[in-house]
Amino acid sequence: MAKQEDLFKNVISHAKEYGYIFASSEIYDGLSAVYDYGQNGAELKKNIKEYWWRSMTQLHQNIVGIDAAILMHPKTWKASGHVDAFNDPLIDNKDSKKRYRADVLVEDYAEKLLQKAEKEIAKAKKRFGEDFDAEMYKETNPRVKRYLGDRKEILERLARSLTNEDLADVKKLIEELEIADPDTGSKNWTEVRQFNLMFGTKLGASADTATDLYLRPETAQGIFVNFLNVQKTGRMKIPFGIAQIGKAFRNEIVARQFIFRMREFEQMEMQFFVRPGEELEWYEKWKETRLNWHRSLGLGEENYRFHDHEKLAHYANAAADIEFDFPFGFKELEGIHSRTDFDLKAHEEHSGKKLRFYDPELKENYVPFVIETSIGLDRMFLAVLSASLKEEQLEDGNTRTVLKLPAVLAPTKAAILPLVKKDGLPEMAQKIVDDLKWDFTVQYDEKDAIGRRYRRQDAAGTPLCITVDHDSLDDNSVTVRFRDTMEQKRIPITELDALIRKETDFKTWMRDFSN
Ligand code: ATP
């Protein structure tokens, strides 16, 4: 655990040192759970967005993208259920005065039971070797059985209490499990209360005529209210999808996990409209498609797992998260939800407008069902950053810090480095920059010894370094150094464009994973 905490601290300080993430308005001591992206962060974030956008829209003929406004008619949030039900259960510790999400306290407790079970299983696997049957062990070993059974029971009870709005039982559960304030160990808790997460604001100049508005807490509703506009103007036929990337705002109760839980963040969402009755088939398909998208980035298969929801939101008939192994453990990275026809129907009721599709094959009018895929851009950023940051022991006894970002996402694709700052090498390097900059983000760097420049680019995540030396003047070739293997290769300058493309192109990364 201590090691994991160190890793998380390293990620946060590395993100600052290399211009990825700064605290918002830092000179005024920052604003809680709000962050700014620096020069490298803005590029990485843009590249993640593009990777998602292109794989959703460009690779699917039946998915188009929109960009709806953050401010929406206030009735939107009544219809969607956010005014009445977008709450988190909060609990305060009377001694430490710290505030927590009651459901998260219980979930973390349950996660510890799972970890204990997994530890036992791993130990047994070591003991029994090849023939070990983990499934059988889970069912027969009394200790493992108890851990897993208790966990299931706790999560089911939590889901039941939350569904029934029985907050007293959530408090009782916390007390029965003897859950303590993670910071201080105190078990002196207040009652559990509901807290609405939407930020309110006002539209209009004078106090009497101003209308109450909300900053959108999710981008999805901008898609639902435009369903018919897009369907008609794009002549879309079911099944089809609408994708969107944009800011969302939530007044989160607990915001102590860097960019994992922010008050202002970005979502990448896609709503896929299908025939009623076909939604669960599409739900399975989108689970697979989305996991493949993650796998394409090569951050490690073992870092992902599905978590099927016990407690379904009021609009869903199936839901799962793709969880990622963040430095603080497995947590939700993306949600895939079968939202039924809840949203479109609710908007029909509240607006008085029909939101239906005439299906020419069935010769029938219906309100489509919806599968949603919803991923937090900032959480994806954190997943990429934390899985990429490595301390490596080198053969010569030194260590190096290297940010092994997927090359397709890296802010700078190649650094062009003249070996020395004289003899015409800077001019030649600059010429290479001027040729490549039209197609790739490249950077010229001449300061410090070449070894130090390599290390700097390693730590910033640049996948390729291109060194111009004295031989280059004669043979028009350069040395390319690969970040991950530190392998070096001599190639003609004319081949640089093709090499960088091969290493960093969307097609190279996504092709084998697209379905
Ligand atoms: P959590 O349970 O962690 O609060 P959620 O289930 O409320 O998340 P959704 O409403 O399903 O999240 O939102 C979809 C995605 O948006 C999440 O999977 C997550 O990646 C992202 N997201 C949600 N809230 C935040 C936040 N406060 N900061 C950053 N990303 C967020």
Side-chain angles (χ1 to χ4, degrees):
M1 192 64 198
K3 237 174 135 193
Q4 292 220 312
E5 271 167 28
D6 286 350
L7 172 64
F8 192 32
K9 276 191 195 142
N10 282 347
V11 170
I12 296 170
S13 62
H14 196 87
K16 171 152 193 213
E17 190 179 344
Y18 286 88
Y20 278 90
I21 297 166
F22 307 129
S24 155
S25 26
E26 197 189 71
I27 57 169
Y28 296 103
D29 296 333
L31 184 64
S32 164
V34 185
Y35 291 89
D36 295 340
Y37 287 84
Q39 65 281 15
N40 278 326
E43 288 288 339
L44 173 56
K45 196 173 173 198
K46 176 175 71 67
N47 293 342
I48 296 174
K49 278 194 224 185
E50 186 164 318
Y51 198 71
W52 182 88
W53 186 264
R54 291 177 75 178
S55 62
M56 279 294 177
T57 62
Q58 203 173 317
L59 299 187
H60 292 101
Q61 289 295 306
N62 60 348
I63 302 181
V64 291
I66 64 164
D67 185 8
I70 288 171
L71 300 177
M72 298 182 72
H73 194 286
K75 277 193 188 166
T76 309
W77 307 111
K78 190 74 191 157
S80 68
H82 283 81
V83 171
D84 298 318
F86 193 52
N87 302 317
D88 275 344
L90 70 83
I91 189 164
D92 290 286
N93 187 281
K94 289 184 196 161
D95 296 327
S96 71
K97 308 276 180 261
K98 286 225 157 97
R99 178 160 287 182
Y100 294 92
R101 260 176 64 176
D103 55 336
V104 172
L105 286 178
V106 177
E107 279 164 8
D108 285 351
Y109 182 94
E111 177 66 21
K112 277 190 199 126
L113 292 176
L114 179 65
Q115 282 171 7
K116 279 185 188 162
E118 280 173 351
K119 218 166 152 186
E120 294 281 338
I121 294 167
K123 262 202 312 213
K125 195 171 172 189
K126 234 181 182 168
R127 215 167 46 234
F128 294 118
E130 279 297 291
D131 302 330
F132 179 66
D133 180 344
E135 286 312 310
M136 169 94 93
Y137 193 73
K138 275 186 208 167
E139 277 159 33
T140 50
N141 180 281
R143 215 172 353 195
V144 171
K145 236 171 100 179
R146 198 182 65 237
Y147 289 143
L148 294 177
D150 284 356
R151 170 176 180 265
K152 187 159 178 280
E153 213 172 281
I154 290 166
L155 289 176
E156 280 172 0
R157 176 161 158 205
L158 176 70
R160 238 185 353 259
S161 315
L162 290 175
T163 308
N164 300 336
E165 300 243 347
D166 186 354
L167 298 181
D169 191 58
V170 179
K171 160 108 189 259
K172 221 163 116 203
L173 186 57
I174 289 175
E175 282 173 344
E176 281 172 26
L177 299 174
E178 301 191 4
I179 296 177
D181 179 335
D183 276 1
T184 62
S186 155
K187 293 176 192 158
N188 193 5
W189 296 109
T190 63
E191 298 306 308
V192 178
R193 285 177 294 144
Q194 291 287 25
F195 176 78
N196 192 293
L197 299 180
M198 283 200 291
F199 278 107
T201 185
K202 291 210 181 286
L203 177 90
S206 90
D208 331 326
T209 58
T211 315
D212 284 319
L213 292 188
Y214 296 105
L215 300 183
R216 67 178 176 198
E218 63 175 27
T219 58
Q221 300 304 325
I223 294 179
F224 291 126
V225 300
N226 278 300
F227 159 73
L228 219 48
N229 283 338
V230 174
Q231 190 273 320
K232 286 211 180 315
T233 57
R235 291 183 296 135
M236 310 300 289
K237 284 206 185 68
I238 280 198
F240 76 92
I242 305 178
Q244 175 168 224
I245 300 177
K247 291 256 173 165
F249 302 81
R250 296 183 188 179
N251 200 0
E252 296 282 359
I253 299 166
V254 182
R256 284 193 282 269
Q257 280 167 317
F258 194 40
I259 58 169
F260 180 82
R261 191 174 298 290
M262 300 157 90
R263 297 204 162 104
E264 172 180 344
F265 59 101
E266 253 175 290
Q267 289 184 315
M268 306 192 285
E269 296 198 304
M270 194 277 301
Q271 311 293 328
F272 198 72
F273 301 92
V274 304
R275 278 184 186 159
E278 294 185 358
E279 72 276 10
L280 292 180
E281 225 171 284
W282 282 106
Y283 167 71
E284 292 302 332
K285 166 125 182 25
W286 276 108
K287 273 174 75 176
E288 186 192 331
T289 303
R290 291 303 304 147
L291 187 64
N292 274 342
W293 182 86
H294 287 283
R295 290 174 58 225
S296 74
L297 289 169
L299 297 175
E301 305 265 332
E302 70 287 359
N303 285 326
Y304 300 91
R305 73 181 189 196
F306 277 116
H307 167 243
D308 294 317
H309 282 204
E310 303 272 347
K311 174 185 182 264
L312 292 175
H314 56 281
Y315 51 74
N317 69 356
D321 298 332
I322 295 178
E323 294 188 335
F324 187 79
D325 194 3
F326 289 98
F328 37 83
F330 274 98
K331 295 269 177 208
E332 172 177 346
L333 169 60
E334 169 158 8
I336 296 145
H337 311 125
S338 174
R339 292 183 78 124
T340 67
D341 55 358
F342 173 86
D343 301 88
L344 290 180
K345 267 209 172 133
H347 287 305
E348 275 198 340
E349 275 164 30
H350 284 77
S351 68
K353 309 267 169 26
K354 289 258 172 282
L355 296 173
R356 300 188 175 211
F357 174 75
Y358 178 73
D359 193 321
E361 275 173 38
L362 298 181
K363 300 197 176 33
E364 216 182 273
N365 251 315
Y366 55 77
V367 178
F369 273 46
V370 173
I371 305 302
E372 163 181 81
T373 73
S374 172
I375 173 167
L377 172 55
D378 313 85
R379 274 191 201 178
M380 185 61 200
F381 189 109
L382 182 59
V384 170
L385 201 67
S386 54
S388 301
L389 185 61
K390 311 269 181 213
E391 285 289 326
E392 279 186 356
Q393 200 69 41
L394 301 178
E395 276 172 14
D396 63 8
N398 289 324
T399 55
R400 70 162 180 159
T401 302
V402 53
L403 195 58
K404 292 188 164 175
L405 297 173
V408 65
L409 303 181
T412 305
K413 303 304 182 202
I416 324 296
L417 320 170
L419 188 62
V420 291
K421 253 194 282 184
K422 55 182 185 186
D423 305 333
L425 302 189
E427 290 75 7
M428 191 168 191
Q430 195 59 60
K431 164 113 193 7
I432 295 175
V433 170
D434 287 340
D435 282 344
L436 293 175
K437 72 181 179 192
W438 298 94
D439 295 303
F440 310 104
T441 47
V442 290
Q443 200 181 75
Y444 176 84
D445 187 6
E446 62 173 25
K447 195 167 173 294
D448 298 322
I450 193 74
R452 285 191 62 183
R453 276 181 274 168
Y454 284 156
R455 289 288 176 274
R456 193 153 62 223
Q457 295 296 342
D458 284 347
T462 309
L464 300 166
C465 281
I466 297 164
T467 305
V468 177
D469 58 22
H470 290 93
D471 289 342
S472 306
L473 299 169
D474 298 325
D475 65 4
N476 270 319
S477 292
V478 285
T479 301
V480 177
R481 174 185 177 275
F482 295 81
R483 177 198 63 198
D484 295 350
T485 56
M486 296 195 291
E487 178 206 345
Q488 302 199 8
K489 198 161 114 182
R490 192 88 186 156
I491 70 162
I493 290 171
T494 49
E495 288 175 18
L496 279 176
D497 186 282
L499 174 85
I500 303 175
R501 200 170 297 283
K502 184 175 144 271
E503 293 289 320
T504 66
D505 206 33
F506 176 58
K507 193 171 171 184
T508 308
W509 285 79
M510 195 61 212
R511 189 174 31 200
D512 295 342
F513 294 90
S514 147
N515 59 340

